[in-house]
Amino acid sequence: MSLTSEISNAFFCMQTKFSSRNHLLLYTLTVSGVAYLIRLRNNFDYGTSSLVPTDEFLEYSTQGEPHYGAVTAVAAAAGCLLIGRSDGSVGCFQLGRVDPSTSGFVYELRDDAGFGRLWGILSRSPMVAAVQDLVISEVQQRKLLFVLHSDGTFRVWDLLSRAKIFGHAMTVPSLTGAFARLWVGEANDENDIIPMAMLHKQNLEVSTETVFLYGLHCNMGDRTPFSLERSFKKISLGEDGLIDVKLTSNKVWILKEEGLIMQDLFSDEVTEGPSYCYALQENFVADLLFQSSEQSSDDLLWLAYSAFSSAKEEIAPFVSSVFLRALLFPGVHSTAVLRQTLGDHNKYFTDSEFGSFTVDGLKSEILSLIEHQGGSASPVSILQCWKSFCAHYVNNWCEYNAACGLLMDPLTGAIGLVRNNSISLCRGLKDVEHIIYGSLEEQNKHISPDLGFSRDERDQTILFELLQCVRNVSQQLGRASSAIFYESLLSTPHISSEELVSRFLRILETGYSSSTAAILISELGADIAWEKELSNHRNLRKFSTNMFLSLQSLCQKANSWSKVLDVVESYIQFFVPKKIVLKSGAQAFFPISGSAVVQSTSQIAKVMFESVLDVLMLLRYMISISGQINFTHDDVSRVKLDLIPMIQEVVTEWHIIRFFGTTSSESPAIEDFSHQLSSLQIDSNVDKRFWNVKLGKCDFSLAFILLLSMQSSSVELGNFSVGRLPNPNSLISLSQEFISWITCGRSGEESSVFSNSIDLALILLRHHQYNATEYLLTLVDEYLHKEKTFESLQSVDGKMSALLHILGCCLVAQTQHGLHGPVKEKKVGEALRCFFRAASVEGSSKALQSLPHEAGWLRIDFSSSLSAAAWKVEYYQWVMQLFEQYNLSEAACQFALAALEQVDVALETIDSSSSENLGETVITMKGRLWANVFKFTLDINKYNDAYCAIISNPDEESKTICLRRFIIVLYERGAVKILCDGQLPLIGLVQKVERELAWKAERSDISTKPNAFKLLYAFEMHRHNWRKAASYIYLYSVRLRTEAAVKDHQMRSSTLQERLNGLAAAINALQLVNPSYAWIDASVDETSIDRENYPNKKARTTKQEQSPPDDALPQKLPSYIDVEKLEKEFVLTSAEYLLSLANIKWTFTGNETPSSNLIDLLVESNSCDMAFTVILKFWKGSCLKRELERVFISMALKCCPSKLAPSLHGKGRKMHGLLLTSSQDELVHDSFDAAAIAQQYAGNSHWETLELYLDKYRQFHPRLPLIVAGTLLSADSQIELPLWLVRHFKGDRNESRFGMTGTESNSASLFRLYVDHGRYTEAVNLLIEYTETFSAIRPADVIRRKRPFAAWFPYTSVERLWCLLEESIKSGHRNDQCEKLKKLLHGVLVNHLNLLKVDSDDVRSSVS
């Protein structure tokens, strides 16, 4: 069902039986006259826009006939809906009792009898005025209808008999206007009087309202059952609008727009009795948010500047903290209002977003809004933004929670306000509140002997005068002073409470300082600041004068200051929380009552805190002007030593209570998977669901946690029953019980909140409220450090160790909730201090064992027979484990060291039997503790300290394990350099370290970094163990050789490169050794090297290995490797590396001499340098020459054009790229030509390489040019030999004077090559060149002329050339060319022979 029409009236009625369940009946009437009856279930499981099943509601139209008058009033009871009309009739609809289709469903109440009762008769009495109001009340088990007509006629109808039983015309002769509303109360059982109230409105220019109270005497057995009492009372409301009135048997409650009025019905006053006015919650909200007056927020700014005169940058954040705390105060905070206010400032959130906000998240959003609007972030601008924000908030709060009516529970007398979206309950005042706010008569009325105050009239007068002085001090400082003082206790302690009180006192004495005024001139402007300063001066003069006169008068009335101080001390006792013994298994609070108790407790704590603070300021002010008021030294001493400590304790107690009531709870942190799994609520635990939903919300303060814990543990939240609402007095009683439980516990023994703080802390810790626990215990700890002059504090000494222990545990737990950096370090430092202090308190073992078992992880079970030192050892180890659990290794190390300090002392105090009971020896205990020290220092990367812990460990087994762990961790963290650079003094541990490193190297993957073999190499090199260093690094290279054989190309290259580095390092290390000892043992077990799987753990202890007998060992000769063998392996590995780069696979087999296949592969991959290096390293003599010839033959073949491009040679190759295609317009470069060019470039590179290496290695084999030339001509007989190659044959030019002689590769050899390969032209030209050179010698040089007789020419080859030419001519092959060459050869020979003949003749003639 969904109602689309506007609802005019709605009434709730209880139906006791309906389908075996209690139901609520909701009667509603729309403006169109349609009535609905809705049956609601008790559990109220209706959400927003819920649909009601059709079988749970009825619908009926009351406008059955068009001539019926308009509806003017409506009332309802179970089974009956009554409608008053403008014609004065009252229609009764038995909706829910009788079926609408049956007769008798509707009947009418009228004055006319007979036919007037019939439905549908047209006759109507014109004498009856319109119905103004209807009220249904049950009197003596009879349902009566009270009807008020617009003309003042008042009638009473019996609904059962449907008869009128009373009628009277209500008039007020002295007033004009008419009655508008009617209220009927319950009958008084003593005098059978039914109280009634009627609202009278006067028709004046300014509408005024008056409530008249009447008494209707009831006697249902008489013929006239009712009679109206003649006397009446009236309550003038003035211009204030009336909202609602509620009547009880003896009181009337009147709700106006401006407040709530309560008056006794049967007081002696005839007309207007004494009225008690109560301010509404709207005033409280406005006052707390500094909206009640303009001066309150200004006072906040002035006081903040005075309090933080030395830290101006703290003023703006402090002011924001004050407003934030006020916004979250119980009764002020409203989620819907806050969201609407944020929306007014253009900050919008969805329902899920706003619902997910925690307290901190909500504060952050508000602060960001304020800071954004503040702009300059100056205190004045921030304050203005807060004033604007709070003004919107207060307006929205008043609209959202506008009072609609009064709520009253007749059984309990509870009175409350029904608002648009909430309900407010009225609470009574504590006795001390009556004393604070009341007059002298009210003070005398509420001062009872139970309060311990004298009933003497003079004492009461002194108290009244004293309170006047207290009020003067409070007004002078302003309401903001208490807010600043309270916030200073909660915020970061930049300023202590004592210092803040001193600064407030300075304001009372001399006013605001000139520096504060000067600062505010620049902030507020000169005019405003000057006006404010003048106002402050006037108020200060007035205050000083009034206080001087008031204090003088007070002293005169008391005759001495001692009497005044007695009254002050008695007055302070009013504020000490009462001790109440609570009953076990108390009934759980209904959530509404619980919220009311929390709000009531918070308000009481606020009032008590501020009132005691005002008394403190008064006493401090009296001390400051002691000379003016004749305050003696004894009086000053009494105030300082007795009264002020008493006040400080009371202030602290109420501060803690207020802290619980106003501080929102913390949301539980999601730490691990198990917590997340439990948050799924699979077990459907009601308690867990409740805490998960409520914790961390703004409207669920710490007081709720304590209040729920106050109940019996057997009561579950899901079993709450809807109880009655508490009346004002019972609400105060519940609040006092709650306060007593906070301060004294359930027993109500004489104590203070300080002694009960441990129990409170345990409750908070169970619900993960770590911040609150820390604050509570820190506050108590700081207070207990002060001088103990008040007797109630002495009982706390025995619990100091438990308090410090719980505080330490709380601080440790806090470190895991998003703390980092200096904040986390500070928490850890404070926890260390707490645990050490807890252990040093005498009797701490018994105190810690007294912690309850349900404390869980806080439980410590120590043997009571241990000595103090032994107990400290156990306690320090427990704390060490606690820090270890939270990964706080540095702190855990501190307690491990502390336990070590106590070990010797502890073991000296116990005998051997006790030592056996401990289950471990001294060495074992110390070894375990040093092992813990090692672990913790290693966790925080303090390697030097970790090594010191190792060498300090007396347990050899533990030391070995720690050393192994030390090396493994250093290896994993890349910090093994500390072992190799000599930073650690490895005295006596070198062999162990080396053995552990070797064990790690043998069982580690060589690809891991850092490499264990390299670490061993560096370790041994640093200690000048060259041979060991070379052995380890060579073993590394062997492992690499095995790895390289199975890896792919890219990884294989990098592995070979690494192996080369290892071999080079081994060579360098051995070169540092005496040549006689420059060798290493190469007996490496290949099977162990080839293993793929290695054990990753080593036995805890290593037994001394024994050598097996000789016959059990394999017969294997020792193998040694010197530098030469390493160099050869290095060369072959280099060759393998270069081949791998060329993607050619060749594996070193371990043989000392490589095969010729390796040289061929190197030359093929153009690694000629490496090929020659291998040849020179491994071959000598003729073998060397043979390998060189093979290499140069291969290199020469690469240079042959026929090998590069067989079809391209001579000039044809140059013209190949210029061939024309069939198209005459396009020049096409053949693709093969591009390949030919590339081959030409490659050929050029081969020629350069051949020239380079031929020049370099000719000295090793002189025939290399001949081999190269022969190879080239054999491959291509028409090849043009390069000039540089020909020069190798011709040699030095001076040698040509002796013919064609020379080395093995001479010109004659070249001539023979030309002849052998058919290069006749080159052969003839070569012969001509040398003969002409020979004949060019000057004849004048006789001596030189005769030396050519020793010259030699290859005559046989010349003759062979001659024959070959003749054969060519005969065969007809190149006749012309051969003829020409033959003629040239003939001429050369003739000339040469003639020259030889002439020379011979010259010689003969010279001899003769």
Side-chain angles (χ1 to χ4, degrees), residues 99-313:
D99 188 86
S101 61
T102 62
S103 60
F105 172 73
V106 180
Y107 63 89
E108 184 178 331
L109 301 178
R110 296 185 58 86
D111 279 346
D112 50 345
F115 294 102
R117 294 181 181 271
L118 298 178
W119 188 260
I121 300 300
L122 298 178
S123 61
R124 292 290 182 264
S125 175
M127 303 300 295
V128 182
V131 177
Q132 189 69 29
D133 202 358
L134 297 175
V135 177
I136 299 177
S137 179
E138 187 172 347
V139 180
Q140 297 182 5
Q141 300 181 352
R142 297 176 64 181
K143 286 187 178 180
L144 303 180
L145 175 64
F146 298 81
V147 183
L148 177 64
H149 294 266
S150 59
D151 59 353
T153 303
F154 172 70
R155 293 171 179 171
V156 181
W157 296 80
D158 187 350
L159 293 180
L160 182 61
S161 61
R162 305 178 184 179
K164 183 179 70 173
I165 57 178
F166 180 77
H168 185 79
M170 311 298 295
T171 59
V172 183
S174 59
L175 298 177
T176 60
F179 289 99
R181 295 283 302 276
L182 170 66
W183 294 272
V184 179
E186 297 179 354
N188 192 312
D189 296 335
E190 297 179 357
N191 51 22
D192 293 331
I193 294 179
I194 301 175
M196 297 189 309
M198 294 185 182
L199 175 64
H200 186 274
K201 292 186 177 181
Q202 298 186 55
N203 299 325
L204 301 176
E205 295 180 358
V206 179
S207 177
T208 59
E209 297 180 349
T210 306
V211 174
F212 288 89
L213 302 177
Y214 298 95
L216 189 63
H217 191 273
C218 175
N219 189 358
M220 300 301 293
D222 295 345
R223 183 176 181 180
T224 305
F226 291 103
S227 61
L228 189 66
E229 297 289 329
R230 294 186 177 182
S231 60
F232 65 89
K233 297 179 182 179
K234 67 176 181 178
I235 301 175
S236 299
L237 304 179
E239 300 178 5
D240 296 340
L242 178 67
I243 298 176
D244 197 8
V245 174
K246 289 294 181 182
L247 295 165
T248 63
S249 59
N250 56 359
K251 288 184 176 62
V252 58
W253 297 82
I254 302 175
L255 176 61
K256 303 191 302 178
E257 294 178 355
E258 299 298 327
L260 182 62
I261 300 175
M262 188 275 291
Q263 189 176 38
D264 292 332
L265 291 176
F266 305 106
S267 58
D268 297 335
E269 287 78 1
V270 177
T271 56
E272 293 199 25
S275 299
Y276 300 93
C277 298
Y278 301 92
L280 298 181
Q281 195 172 358
E282 286 83 345
N283 298 330
F284 176 77
V285 173
D287 182 65
L288 203 61
L289 295 177
F290 303 98
Q291 298 297 311
S292 57
S293 64
E294 184 67 25
Q295 288 75 21
S296 59
S297 57
D298 294 340
D299 292 341
L300 174 63
L301 184 63
W302 282 80
L303 287 171
Y305 267 103
S306 300
F308 295 94
S309 57
S310 59
K312 297 295 189 290
E313 67 279 358

Side-chain angles (χ1 to χ4, degrees), residues 22-33:
N22 293 336
H23 277 67
L24 288 176
L25 301 180
L26 174 61
Y27 289 91
T28 63
L29 182 67
T30 65
V31 293
S32 60

Side-chain angles (χ1 to χ4, degrees), residues 1343-1354:
I1343 297 177
R1344 297 295 296 274
R1345 286 272 304 200
K1346 304 309 174 186
R1347 290 185 62 186
F1349 282 108
W1352 177 86
F1353 286 92

Side-chain angles (χ1 to χ4, degrees), residues 1336-1400:
I1337 300 176
R1338 298 177 185 179
D1341 190 356
V1342 178
I1343 297 177
R1344 297 295 296 274
R1345 286 272 304 200
K1346 304 309 174 186
R1347 290 185 62 186
F1349 282 108
W1352 177 86
F1353 286 92
Y1355 297 109
T1356 304
S1357 298
V1358 172
E1359 183 180 1
R1360 184 168 176 265
L1361 175 61
W1362 180 268
C1363 295
L1364 291 174
L1365 289 174
E1366 287 182 347
E1367 291 178 359
S1368 297
I1369 294 172
K1370 291 179 181 180
S1371 63
H1373 180 64
R1374 293 185 296 180
N1375 292 334
D1376 296 338
Q1377 184 180 5
C1378 291
E1379 287 288 346
K1380 184 179 180 180
L1381 291 176
K1382 185 177 179 181
K1383 291 179 181 180
L1384 289 174
L1385 179 60
H1386 181 266
V1388 169
L1389 291 175
V1390 170
N1391 293 333
H1392 179 67
L1393 293 176
N1394 291 333
L1395 179 62
L1396 292 178
K1397 185 178 182 302
V1398 171
D1399 291 339
S1400 298

Side-chain angles (χ1 to χ4, degrees), residues 1282-1296:
L1283 180 60
W1284 55 267
L1285 181 58
V1286 175
R1287 286 175 180 174
H1288 278 288
F1289 288 93
K1290 293 181 179 180
D1292 190 4
R1293 201 65 176 167
N1294 294 326
E1295 294 180 358
S1296 63

